[in-house]
Amino acid sequence: MKLPFAESYKIKMVETIKRSTREEREQWLKEANYNLFNLKSDQVFIDLLTDSGTGAMSDKQWSAMMLGDESYAGARSYYKMKEAIKNIMGFDHFLPTHQGRAAENVLFSVLVKEGNIVPGNSHFDTTKGHIEFRKAKAVDCTIDEAFDTVIDHPFKGNLDLVKLESVLSTYPKEQVPMIIVTVTCNTSGGQPVSMANMKAVKKLAEKYEIPVCFDSARFAENAYFIKTREEGYQDKTIKEIVKEMYTYADMATMSSKKDAIVNMGGFIGMKDANLWKQASTYNIMFEGYVTYGGMSGRDMNALAQGLDEGTEFEYLETRIKQVEYLGGRLEEFGVPFQKPIGGHAIFVDAKKILAHIPKEEYQAQTLGCELYLEAGIRGVEIGAILADRDPETRENRYPALELLRLAIPRRTYTNNHMDVVAVALKNVYDRRNEIKHGFKIIDEAPIMRHFTVQLQKID
């Protein structure tokens, strides 16, 4: 008999989580103005809001923290992190930042100007926010297959080369500061980009003399999918695949709270020394000195160790198989979600489940609130609220996909928790026709509204 799969770790410490009643959750959700971000963590039983900074660090990471050097300038921890980034990604130059959006803020302060065009594959909300804040425009060049949740395409994060070249041939190179390749592509459902696509994008970029930037939050998960899905990579290690991936990038931003498995931290990797010099000024202004950039020495040590652990196949297999487990249970129950199953989350197709609710009433947000009421499970809307308003017309943007993301923290929950999530979502799915209305917005920020939006239930 073949042995069943088992996790590549054992548990050393546990944290208590609290159950609640339906009545309590109804009151808490109302007090939160139906924005799941506004809930207190103690009001949540299983928290799948994000996989960013919510994972469990290893014994080696905790040990590394004890050796952190907290010197303001020239700390040993900085050089440890520098060596890890060089060894794994190949970048000669880097700047530490406190998280991914800070890396975007620093880098884009150098590169993105008013009127610029920034093509990419379904830019993440903070990426698009930083672009539009600078009065530039993000252009989505993702392949069309990404927007059909039923199609089982292995690399739905790929850029459509025809769409991309149309952008590059339309605008002068001075107006296109970079091409952004998000690996994996979160907004399209945690979907990977193939090595062949990265190579083709880089070739096209060189033709038009445009640099390529990888949004690298989940680069290791992307490498896992290349190994398991793309011909010619089955016998390569994750680290070998990652090293090749970054030969097709000129620079990278990273939220290390994902694939480096830390609670806080990020960085910018660069091949151009002049770009590093320009970005250093903004790093000092916004983050801190160039050898700490908003991070403590202990956090830089943990990040360096996490980069090494996060690029090992055994760790990634355990992590991604848990996501696959939840997807398999939902498939048993007939709950529609983005296929194939992505690396860090299940993206439930709210547009299919709540098709009878108008898009103007925010289907994915409605589904997320119903799941919380059902079992105290918190997900996050990846739909019209996140898509925000058009910066020029101020009209709501309604994306092709209206998804509820259930992001699974790394090494945090068991498959028993996944069973609870699956059954709770099945219960909501079974009573979907009883859900008559969604929400309307009563207050919102002018940009990146989904974090703080206030909603009112429509009766």
Side-chain angles (χ1 to χ4, degrees), residues 111-118 135-137 174-177:
L111 296 178
V112 181
K113 310 300 180 187
E114 183 175 346
N116 281 177
I117 303 295
V118 185
K135 298 183 179 179
K137 184 178 181 182
E174 294 78 16
Q175 202 172 341
V176 185

Side-chain angles (χ1 to χ4, degrees), residues 279-290:
S280 294
T281 300
Y282 290 101
N283 214 62
I284 293 169
M285 288 171 60
F286 299 150
E287 293 292 293
Y289 186 58
V290 295

Side-chain angles (χ1 to χ4, degrees), residues 93-282:
H93 310 283
F94 98 100
L95 288 169
T97 61
H98 78 273
Q99 62 177 4
R101 68 193 61 180
E104 291 172 340
N105 187 38
V106 170
L107 183 63
F108 293 5
S109 291
V110 177
L111 296 178
V112 181
K113 310 300 180 187
E114 183 175 346
N116 281 177
I117 303 295
V118 185
N121 55 336
S122 296
H123 309 67
F124 187 55
D125 63 333
T126 62
T127 311
K128 186 168 65 175
H130 279 298
I131 292 168
E132 293 181 347
F133 177 74
R134 291 167 172 81
K135 298 183 179 179
K137 184 178 181 182
V139 180
D140 189 356
C141 297
T142 315
I143 59 173
D144 291 340
E145 290 89 338
F147 306 109
D148 186 335
T149 58
V150 176
I151 293 175
D152 196 8
H153 188 291
F155 293 102
K156 281 186 173 179
N158 281 356
L159 283 84
D160 185 312
L161 300 176
V162 174
K163 292 180 185 177
L164 179 59
E165 184 154 28
S166 176
V167 174
L168 300 182
S169 62
T170 300
Y171 299 95
K173 66 179 183 180
E174 294 78 16
Q175 202 172 341
V176 185
M178 72 186 101
I179 300 165
I180 294 179
V181 182
T182 308
V183 290
T184 57
C185 188
N186 185 23
T187 309
S188 67
Q191 298 297 311
V193 180
S194 71
M195 191 74 82
N197 191 249
M198 294 179 200
K199 187 175 182 179
V201 168
K202 179 59 176 169
K203 185 177 179 180
L204 201 56
E206 289 175 343
K207 175 183 174 181
Y208 289 92
E209 300 180 323
I210 306 295
V212 175
C213 178
F214 281 10
D215 179 344
S216 306
R218 300 175 182 88
F219 76 99
E221 292 176 7
N222 200 101
Y224 175 91
F225 287 123
I226 289 173
K227 179 177 176 65
T228 56
R229 295 180 184 177
E230 191 164 359
E231 188 176 351
Y233 290 92
Q234 286 74 18
D235 296 329
K236 291 185 178 293
T237 67
I238 297 296
K239 284 183 169 64
E240 287 172 337
I241 293 169
V242 168
K243 187 62 72 75
E244 182 181 344
M245 284 169 56
Y246 283 91
T247 64
Y248 307 126
D250 299 288
M251 53 193 154
T253 57
M254 182 166 178
S255 169
S256 302
K257 298 162 68 178
K258 286 84 169 176
D259 272 356
I261 331 169
V262 290
N263 304 124
M264 188 58 69
F267 61 85
I268 311 165
M270 293 157 281
K271 294 179 180 176
D272 184 348
N274 186 53
L275 177 60
W276 179 89
K277 185 177 180 180
Q278 294 178 69
S280 294
T281 300
Y282 290 101

Side-chain angles (χ1 to χ4, degrees), residues 410-429:
R410 294 158 180 80
R411 302 188 291 213
T412 301
Y413 293 113
T414 69
N415 282 359
N416 286 337
H417 293 108
M418 299 302 103
D419 286 332
V420 173
V421 175
V423 172
L425 195 50
K426 176 191 183 300
N427 291 345
V428 174
Y429 182 63

